[in-house]
Amino acid sequence: GRQGLPEVVYGPGKTAPQITAIVTSLLAANSGPVLVTRVEPETADTVLEAVAADGGRYDAEAQLLAWRPAPAGDFRVVVAAAGTSDWPVAAEAAAVASAAGLDVSRIDDIGVAGIHRTLAAAPRLHAADAVICVAGMEGALASVIGGLVAAPVIAVPTSTGYGASLEGVTALLAMLSACAAGLTVVNIDSGFGAAMAAHRIARTRKASS
Amino acid sequence: GRQGLPEVVYGPGKTAPQITAIVTSLLAANSGPVLVTRVEPETADTVLEAVAADGGRYDAEAQLLAWRPAPAGDFRVVVAAAGTSDWPVAAEAAAVASAAGLDVSRIDDIGVAGIHRTLAAAPRLHAADAVICVAGMEGALASVIGGLVAAPVIAVPTSTGYGASLEGVTALLAMLSACAAGLTVVNIDSGFGAAMAAHRIARTRKASS
Amino acid sequence: GRQGLPEVVYGPGKTAPQITAIVTSLLAANSGPVLVTRVEPETADTVLEAVAADGGRYDAEAQLLAWRPAPAGDFRVVVAAAGTSDWPVAAEAAAVASAAGLDVSRIDDIGVAGIHRTLAAAPRLHAADAVICVAGMEGALASVIGGLVAAPVIAVPTSTGYGASLEGVTALLAMLSACAAGLTVVNIDSGFGAAMAAHRIARTRKASS
Amino acid sequence: GRQGLPEVVYGPGKTAPQITAIVTSLLAANSGPVLVTRVEPETADTVLEAVAADGGRYDAEAQLLAWRPAPAGDFRVVVAAAGTSDWPVAAEAAAVASAAGLDVSRIDDIGVAGIHRTLAAAPRLHAADAVICVAGMEGALASVIGGLVAAPVIAVPTSTGYGASLEGVTALLAMLSACAAGLTVVNIDSGFGAAMAAHRIARTRKASS
Amino acid sequence: GRQGLPEVVYGPGKTAPQITAIVTSLLAANSGPVLVTRVEPETADTVLEAVAADGGRYDAEAQLLAWRPAPAGDFRVVVAAAGTSDWPVAAEAAAVASAAGLDVSRIDDIGVAGIHRTLAAAPRLHAADAVICVAGMEGALASVIGGLVAAPVIAVPTSTGYGASLEGVTALLAMLSACAAGLTVVNIDSGFGAAMAAHRIARTRKASS
Amino acid sequence: GRQGLPEVVYGPGKTAPQITAIVTSLLAANSGPVLVTRVEPETADTVLEAVAADGGRYDAEAQLLAWRPAPAGDFRVVVAAAGTSDWPVAAEAAAVASAAGLDVSRIDDIGVAGIHRTLAAAPRLHAADAVICVAGMEGALASVIGGLVAAPVIAVPTSTGYGASLEGVTALLAMLSACAAGLTVVNIDSGFGAAMAAHRIARTRKASS
Amino acid sequence: GRQGLPEVVYGPGKTAPQITAIVTSLLAANSGPVLVTRVEPETADTVLEAVAADGGRYDAEAQLLAWRPAPAGDFRVVVAAAGTSDWPVAAEAAAVASAAGLDVSRIDDIGVAGIHRTLAAAPRLHAADAVICVAGMEGALASVIGGLVAAPVIAVPTSTGYGASLEGVTALLAMLSACAAGLTVVNIDSGFGAAMAAHRIARTRKASS
Amino acid sequence: GRQGLPEVVYGPGKTAPQITAIVTSLLAANSGPVLVTRVEPETADTVLEAVAADGGRYDAEAQLLAWRPAPAGDFRVVVAAAGTSDWPVAAEAAAVASAAGLDVSRIDDIGVAGIHRTLAAAPRLHAADAVICVAGMEGALASVIGGLVAAPVIAVPTSTGYGASLEGVTALLAMLSACAAGLTVVNIDSGFGAAMAAHRIARTRKASS
Ligand SMILES: Nc1ncnc2c1ncn2[C@@H]1O[C@H](COP(=O)(O)O)[C@@H](O)[C@H]1O
Ligand SMILES: Nc1ncnc2c1ncn2[C@@H]1O[C@H](COP(=O)(O)O)[C@@H](O)[C@H]1O
Ligand SMILES: Nc1ncnc2c1ncn2[C@@H]1O[C@H](COP(=O)(O)O)[C@@H](O)[C@H]1O
Ligand SMILES: Nc1ncnc2c1ncn2[C@@H]1O[C@H](COP(=O)(O)O)[C@@H](O)[C@H]1O
Ligand SMILES: [Mg+2]
Ligand SMILES: [Mg+2]
Ligand SMILES: [Mg+2]
Ligand SMILES: [Mg+2]
Ligand SMILES: [Mg+2]
Ligand SMILES: [Mg+2]
Ligand SMILES: [Mg+2]
Ligand SMILES: [Mg+2]
């Protein structure tokens, strides 16, 4: 089996009782973090009450339910969001990464249409062990960051924007075809996926020490 | 009728005799520039010999045939290309704009994956009356330039790249959905279209003076 | 930094308090126009009351909030809409261009399926310094106008229509592949983008005088 | 069975002997026209020699082989092509319609980016019993013609153009979503299909008299 | 100008007062039929009361408002629908064609997955001067009918179905690439477009007599 | 492991020595049929000579190399092809199914645009244990056959046709969205896939006896 | 005509009275199972009361109405679902197959991202006469199962997931292009289609015995 | 500036003299590895002779030119390829990663349609610090590997396959929508991109030690 990754349940389409049952069983089966993503506030309340174990918390911006989050380690992840509308996805990335034990900080609104804002963030980006770049209409941000830092950059396209944004598909394709060498991409709006990718990278360091 | 735009013939699919006939008739019908785009070298040679009028020239990089190019005016257009593979399209844009009477200069390889190169070009970009931005894999360049300058920016997506580049469609969509306010876009690989758009803008100034 | 463009906030996804805070800070930071696009009437009311500064106005058809609109200059923009369903986008283009200081007039329902209507508008189109052409099902309008006038033509595809209209993608692609030389295109439904493009062009004239 | 339509064989992918056999058998089986579309010149030569029956002719521009073409009737079809690159498809439409017994004339280069050319053709278009409109980059032509005449208009999108033209798909979709009431469309590059549609319409008149 | 086609207003996106004004003005400007498509029942009630002229009628299945429908002529149109879910579009085609003066009859549920039903309808199809074929999941119906009859066949793809039906795009493309010679196609769900195409064909006969 | 399916190697992209090595090793490792699909004639010749084992055969129409074909069993598969251009794919389906031990017969040119041809084949289709339906431009054929017979129908879309055929994607989607209950589909041009699906079904019968 | 397949009515878009009428008539016309798919609970209640015949049942998870289900035969179908969100489609497949007389069992949550779960199911999969594999985000499951068993595998892509899942299109295409020989695919979310395909296969065995 | 990544030139579209000039200048400008990807053998020969510096090598399978490759470090990367046709892309990934100083090994043909082969590779996969998974028709491989190991997994979709494979787009989308948590993806066929992503991860470890 695969070890070392937190258990994460995908919330949409599951009822509160279904989530409660799954969480209860996961909490019993192992001792690591148990998370549920994309949970509506009302469902979250119901589940928090129904799960016997203590210590569950709900992060409303990230729509994340979490039990037994890992203590913060020394792997620094910066979650950089291009614009306001990219915040919910950035919040999911940050909350999941944090619950998985990474040392997370966020930089918002550094979209490249105002390149001075991006550059102002350069020192913080350089200090990161990995960067999660969240952007929709300004998918270009991933290219710029990929060119600025030599650390792993995980790009998350978002479904913000309209028309030619095609629900995030444009940002996704643009990030994939960008020239910045070694940029990697996860699914549209998948803050969760980016956080887990960062966690896999962080484990690499631990594994080696 | 519409006045003030040069006559431009689209070369592909036309035989040398067809081009010769069209050019000859256009040279007779008016006194402005006559251009033919996307002409292969051999066809160009044949046509240059066959057209009676003097002064025809062929620009091999731009694949452009031109008669009676307009003298350079005082409208400064900078043609900025992201990478090496975008050069042929940039060449077409520059050659057509130049033949139409604009004051053209080029900046190559300022792709955003090396943002310092883009920034190094900022002074020249700021001095332009209009910028034509040519990019494929680094479609992001259009966003960055659009944020840097307040002049009109005309973006030309190119069909370079592979996979997720989708023959230029990705760059096209990314440029259209970018946040930089007031960026406009022409067809994939259409250096010609961008040059004509710049020419229309340049006329605006003349019209007002 | 880039100067000379008005500050424009994208409304969707932002709460009234968020918009209020951003507007307040922008009004303090500079002395030019401050606009917010795509604001619902209720949100607009709340924001107008909450922002301390006077002089904010809401244009319900254009869904635009504006403070300190620029006085009308002498750059004449005609906003031409193909059909009734294209009016909201035309309204956004006109309202933003007007707030940015352009001299705006509108011509509605000149779609090419009744070419006499288009031709009847020719004198007004010829008198324009720039034309913004707004069309969905009749994307063909952009080609016809591009052929009629030598001024800059900025085409805005709209998401009206059904079936093969593909939410505006068809009009977008048709405008880009049209033969009319030097036509430029902005994002689907982006009356805002077209207005800003016209503003960039208008600045060109000022810059030169 | 269906009567009254000529037999038309689709040439691509068939060898000269295969075509010879099919044509021979069709000539024997009925007494009407027998056509083969999209035949390369060399194949055409071979087939013409191999088929025993006399009177076969090859139209190189249309790439059409025809035996026993029908005499011209009194149903007037105008085949209108937008630009030079649309000619081969227009030629197929004209040749097939003619062999099917329609009274065909062609008008070339009436693309709408020069609307005066389109309007100059209006009298000839008005005199037609049906119009076949062939266009690629200027798909807009179908809208304009559909608005000009009350006769049936059959639009043939062509795969000319580049980039956003998407091999004819853009013209196809634009023609389908156009506002001109009652425009119908056939497959990309299918001059054949348009000719057969016109023939079906022509039969309607005969059927009623 | 174009004569002989009824005036048809596209309802969606227009308010009852807007429709009332347009209808009133069209009724005054000419003496032929005036139609409004895709009108919701409540809007229809309001408009019928507000328009001063008598004789307006609303067809709820077809969602059509009509004033001064033309008397039935002798051009027989059969509207054939593949399945139950295609009925609303078939209803629009039939109602518009009828108001335009065609002699309309409908055949429902003749989809080809039960080919005996299609064949049972063959006599009625053969008797038609033109066939309008309405189908979504069973787009194949158009091919079969096109092969059965020699009269004009106008295919209307519908947006019924799910998954691979792609909101009607699959039926549209399948109808266009079908082998049945001379089939023509209108926009997805456009019963209106098909009716107008049939009307254009019917006029051809009149014009010739 | 999985037993009972023949070993089939995909030829494209493999050199003759690579194919020789793989075939040799597969012939040694088991005692059933060994096939290689999509092999060019020259490669086939080279491989046939290089493989030590006897009894290899090359079917040029199907582009199939086969060793140790299974003896024909009593499971009757009919491979029905819509048109001439679908023959190569039908040949691959038939050759693979035959080598896998099925009792195969072919019916060609039964496309639905001539429904009488399809119906003439009904008795042979009814007698089949399974039908493989191969069609491109006439993807409709799958619907009709699915409605005619109660046996398993495996549809193979082909990449024949042009324009709206989209290299087989249209036929693929049309087959999937067709109403005929229980039709299944394999990849575009995959005669091989259909044959293997038929073989799996044939095994079912054996397994039960 | 086609015999041996149950009558299945497609519920969406039909009113309760329409369904009642169709069901009543089908129950009278033959003696086999009569099913209605995708029926909302309220509609189901109304129909069950309105249909005179006894024995109708509603399966809420599968959204299936059924009269006269066939007794379970000896053809064993396993319906394997990759994840929780694929359950409704798996339920439709299982309920329809069961009503058609197959011996159905379900295995849920065997998605390949936890390959041990898939492997744990191998014995049950091997015992099946046919496998229906239902998966959306884990479309990969079909490949793995196709490689594990030699029985017919019918893959049902589901529209679960977000972003790059493209409403099921990604799973659909991935299943079609997978390497597992002889996998067949039905429409997105079509549990019904897969069940009918299994039924056709089961009849094959009966036919032969 | 960004440090620590090797210089990699994209070969396609560049002439031998252009590559020679770029390489020469890069070798002079820094002391790390200089690579050129996607170089045809003849071009490679010419460049190797023309570049003054010694030690250039050409890897024909990977189509990679390399000078001053980095010595192998202790970061273990496994490049796993699903099938034979994925080898060239795997070779590019392996060669670039190796030249960048990673400790690379390859596992070929572990595609999931034969899951035992995938499982047999599990021990080697578990021992890796990062896995690069290269797959086209068997894009499913990425899901399975992502579920097997907790190390970073970088998926490279390839353009192998036909029909529904859509030149690699299907594998790309399937990898992105897969359930395996934390999988990341690079552009289609970009072995280079995956290698650089692995290099960025490897640096993370160094940076921390
Ligand atoms: N490179 C080009 N791309 C697109 N359109 C062009 C190009 N060159 C010329 N044209 C346009 O093509 C039209 C002339 O087409 P044609 O009549 O075929 O020569 C004119 O409208 C030109 O403005
Ligand atoms: N250029 C063409 N484009 C599309 N279909 C054609 C064309 N020429 C002939 N056909 C049709 O192709 C069918 C004949 O196909 P085949 O049996 O392959 O010769 C007939 O239905 C013709 O109507
Ligand atoms: N869930 C379903 N998905 C697709 N087709 C269905 C479904 N349920 C029933 N059908 C088919 O739909 C057709 C009946 O359509 P209708 O005449 O509209 O009831 C029959 O061919 C059924 O086999
Ligand atoms: N195989 C490749 N695929 C994509 N990008 C590449 C490849 N090889 C090199 N590059 C990138 O292409 C850029 C160099 O482009 P150029 O200036 O045209 O040589 C650099 O950013 C490289 O990182
Ligand atoms: Mg953004
Ligand atoms: Mg570029
Ligand atoms: Mg419009
Ligand atoms: Mg054209
Ligand atoms: Mg239907
Ligand atoms: Mg076919
Ligand atoms: Mg799933
Ligand atoms: Mg593969």
Side-chain angles (χ1 to χ4, degrees), chain G residues 69-166:
Chain G
D74 63 356
F75 192 89
R76 287 153 304 170
V77 172
V78 167
V79 178
T84 316
S85 42
D86 302 315
W87 289 0
V89 176
E92 185 183 89
V96 172
S98 192
L102 308 184
D103 174 9
V104 178
S105 65
R106 281 178 60 177
I107 317 183
D108 288 323
D109 289 304
I110 59 166
V112 295
I115 194 71
H116 56 94
R117 282 187 286 141
T118 319
L119 295 177
R124 292 182 61 195
L125 293 168
H126 278 116
D129 289 312
V131 178
I132 291 173
C133 169
V134 183
M137 288 181 275
E138 284 187 83
L141 180 61
S143 285
V144 175
I145 290 181
L148 278 175
V149 308
V153 178
I154 303 155
V156 192
T158 67
S159 59
T160 60
Y162 55 92
S165 296
L166 298 181

Side-chain angles (χ1 to χ4, degrees), chain D residues 1-140:
Chain D
R2 185 188 59 191
Q3 283 156 343
L5 296 184
E7 296 285 349
V8 190
V9 179
Y10 181 60
K14 298 201 177 72
T15 61
Q18 285 177 317
I19 295 176
T20 303
I22 298 172
V23 165
T24 301
S25 122
L26 289 174
L27 287 170
N30 67 70
S31 60
V34 172
L35 316 179
V36 192
T37 61
R38 306 198 171 183
V39 186
E40 298 292 331
E42 312 77 46
T43 311
D45 284 351
T46 315
V47 171
L48 279 173
E49 275 191 38
V51 169
D54 280 350
R57 286 176 316 179
Y58 180 62
D59 178 332
E61 193 196 4
Q63 297 202 293
L64 184 78
L65 269 173
W67 284 262
R68 299 192 309 225
D74 63 356
F75 193 88
R76 289 152 303 168
V77 172
V78 167
V79 178
T84 316
S85 42
D86 303 315
W87 289 1
V89 175
E92 184 183 271
V96 172
S98 192
L102 307 184
D103 174 10
V104 178
S105 65
R106 280 179 61 178
I107 316 182
D108 288 323
D109 289 304
I110 60 165
V112 295
I115 194 71
H116 56 95
R117 282 188 285 141
T118 319
L119 294 177
R124 291 180 62 195
L125 293 168
H126 277 116
D129 290 311
V131 178
I132 291 174
C133 168
V134 182
M137 288 182 276
E138 283 188 83

Side-chain angles (χ1 to χ4, degrees), chain D residues 113-207:
Chain D
I115 194 71
H116 56 95
R117 282 188 285 141
T118 319
L119 294 177
R124 291 180 62 195
L125 293 168
H126 277 116
D129 290 311
V131 178
I132 291 174
C133 168
V134 182
M137 288 182 276
E138 283 188 83
L141 179 62
S143 286
V144 174
I145 291 182
L148 277 176
V149 308
V153 178
I154 304 156
V156 191
T158 67
S159 59
T160 59
Y162 54 91
S165 295
L166 299 181
E167 313 279 311
V169 171
T170 294
L172 171 66
L173 295 172
M175 285 161 166
L176 285 162
S177 66
C179 275
L183 206 72
T184 60
V185 182
V186 296
N187 196 6
I188 295 164
D189 290 336
S190 188
F192 157 72
M196 295 303 276
H199 179 66
R200 285 178 183 254
I201 294 171
R203 280 188 76 265
T204 289
R205 183 192 284 179
K206 260 182 246 151

